[in-house]
Amino acid sequence: LRIIISSYMQAEDNDKSTNKSKKAKSDSNAIKKPRSKWILYCAEHRETAVRENPHLTFTEVARLMAERYKNVDPIENQRLDELVKKDKERYQAELIARGPVTSTTHAASNSVNLNISTELVFPLARIKRIAKLDNEVRSLSKESVVVLTKAAELFIGFLANKVAHTAALRGTRTLKDTDVYHTIHSVEVLDFLRLDFPRRLLTSVVSTGNNHTNNTS
C-alpha cells in the first residue's frame, strides 16, 4: 500500500496544475453508469441482511444475498426490472445532454491507463493464502492468482488515490485513518465498504486520535 500510494503521489507531483484542474472538472462531470438489477437489489437489501445477521462475514452476507436474489418473487422481480429500465433511460438522457466526448477526455483516460504498471507488486503467495481463507476455495490455478493479485493492486491503487485526494483537500500529504473513512463514505463506488466502516467508527477514530494528541502534548 505504501509503495502504491507513493507512486500515485509522485505521479501527481509530475502533473501540471492545469492538468489537475481539468481532471477534477472531468471527474465532477462524469456520468454515473446504469446499475444492474443485482446491484440495485443489494443497495436496497444488504443493510437489512447485515442487521439481521451481524455474525456473518462479508463473504457469507454476499452468499446470503445471492440466495435471496435467486428466490425473489415475480412482483419484486418486475419492480427491479423497471428500476433497471429507468436507470438506463436516465443514463442515455444524460449522455445525450452532455454531447460527444472531447479528445481531451480521451487523452486523460489514456494517460491514466498508461500509469498502470504491468508488473505485480503484491506477493502472489500471500494473495493465494488470503484467497484460501474462504472455506469454499479449495484450490487456485496460477493464472487465477495472478488475476486476483492484479485486481487487488488496482483496487488498492484506486483507493489510495482517492484517499490521497481527500488528504489533499485538508492541505496535507499525510494520510490518516480518518481520510480512509471519509473517502469510503464520499466515493459512491466504495459504498459496499460502508457497512464494514460505519460512521460511528469514524467518530471513535477521531476521538482516539484527539486523546492521543492530548496525551502526547
Side-chain angles (χ1 to χ4, degrees), residues 130-170:
I130 294 174
K132 294 188 72 173
L133 290 176
D134 190 326
N135 293 329
E136 293 192 354
V137 178
R138 296 184 178 179
S139 62
L140 291 164
S141 66
K142 181 178 180 181
E143 292 78 9
S144 64
V145 176
V146 171
V147 172
L148 283 174
T149 303
K150 190 61 181 180
E153 290 181 4
L154 291 175
F155 174 73
I156 294 298
F158 172 81
L159 178 61
N161 191 22
K162 294 299 182 182
V163 174
H165 177 69
T166 300
L169 294 178
R170 294 190 294 105

Side-chain angles (χ1 to χ4, degrees), residues 32-46 65 69 76 79-88 90 188 191:
K32 178 182 174 183
K33 292 184 179 181
R35 293 175 291 178
S36 66
K37 186 171 15 176
W38 164 249
I39 294 298
L40 290 170
Y41 178 82
C42 288
E44 291 185 357
H45 300 285
R46 186 175 186 276
M65 291 291 296
Y69 179 71
E76 174 68 2
R79 186 184 71 85
L80 290 171
D81 285 334
E82 288 296 324
L83 290 177
V84 170
K85 181 180 178 181
K86 290 180 180 179
D87 203 28
K88 287 182 179 179
R90 183 270 314 161
E188 186 173 1
D191 60 352

Side-chain angles (χ1 to χ4, degrees), residues 5-205:
I5 291 176
S6 299
S7 63
Y8 267 93
M9 300 190 76
Q10 182 63 39
E12 289 183 356
D13 289 339
N14 296 333
D15 290 338
K16 295 181 181 180
S17 58
T18 54
N19 290 336
K20 290 182 181 180
S21 62
K22 288 180 180 179
K23 182 179 179 181
K25 183 177 180 180
S26 175
D27 290 342
S28 63
N29 294 330
I31 297 177
K32 178 182 174 183
K33 292 184 179 181
R35 293 175 291 178
S36 66
K37 186 171 15 176
W38 164 249
I39 294 298
L40 290 170
Y41 178 82
C42 288
E44 291 185 357
H45 300 285
R46 186 175 186 276
E47 186 174 356
T48 301
V50 172
R51 186 169 58 250
E52 293 175 348
N53 304 276
H55 59 286
L56 296 183
T57 64
F58 181 87
T59 303
E60 290 169 339
V61 170
R63 193 177 300 122
L64 174 64
M65 291 291 296
E67 188 64 28
R68 290 182 177 180
Y69 179 71
K70 291 179 182 178
N71 299 317
V72 67
D73 63 76
I75 296 178
E76 174 68 2
N77 191 52
Q78 183 178 359
R79 186 184 71 85
L80 290 171
D81 285 334
E82 288 296 324
L83 290 177
V84 170
K85 181 180 178 181
K86 290 180 180 179
D87 203 28
K88 287 182 179 179
E89 292 174 350
R90 183 270 314 161
Y91 177 69
Q92 292 297 330
E94 291 183 4
L95 281 179
I96 295 173
R98 185 187 64 179
V101 179
T102 63
S103 58
T104 303
T105 305
H106 282 302
S109 299
N110 290 336
S111 65
V112 172
N113 291 332
L114 290 175
N115 286 333
I116 298 177
S117 174
T118 57
E119 298 180 0
L120 296 177
V121 178
F122 293 170
L124 293 173
R126 180 167 299 179
I127 297 299
K128 184 176 182 179
R129 285 199 300 271
I130 294 174
K132 294 188 72 173
L133 290 176
D134 190 326
N135 293 329
E136 293 192 354
V137 178
R138 296 184 178 179
S139 62
L140 291 164
S141 66
K142 181 178 180 181
E143 292 78 9
S144 64
V145 176
V146 171
V147 172
L148 283 174
T149 303
K150 190 61 181 180
E153 290 181 4
L154 291 175
F155 174 73
I156 294 298
F158 172 81
L159 178 61
N161 191 22
K162 294 299 182 182
V163 174
H165 177 69
T166 300
L169 294 178
R170 294 190 294 105
T172 180
R173 290 167 56 86
T174 302
L175 308 186
K176 296 184 177 180
D177 42 11
T178 53
D179 295 322
V180 177
Y181 277 88
H182 284 304
T183 300
I184 290 173
H185 285 274
S186 61
V187 178
E188 186 173 1
V189 295
L190 298 175
D191 60 352
F192 68 96
L193 292 174
R194 293 173 187 172
L195 291 176
D196 299 296
F197 295 85
R199 291 188 181 277
R200 58 181 177 79
L201 289 184
L202 174 60
T203 304
S204 176
V205 168

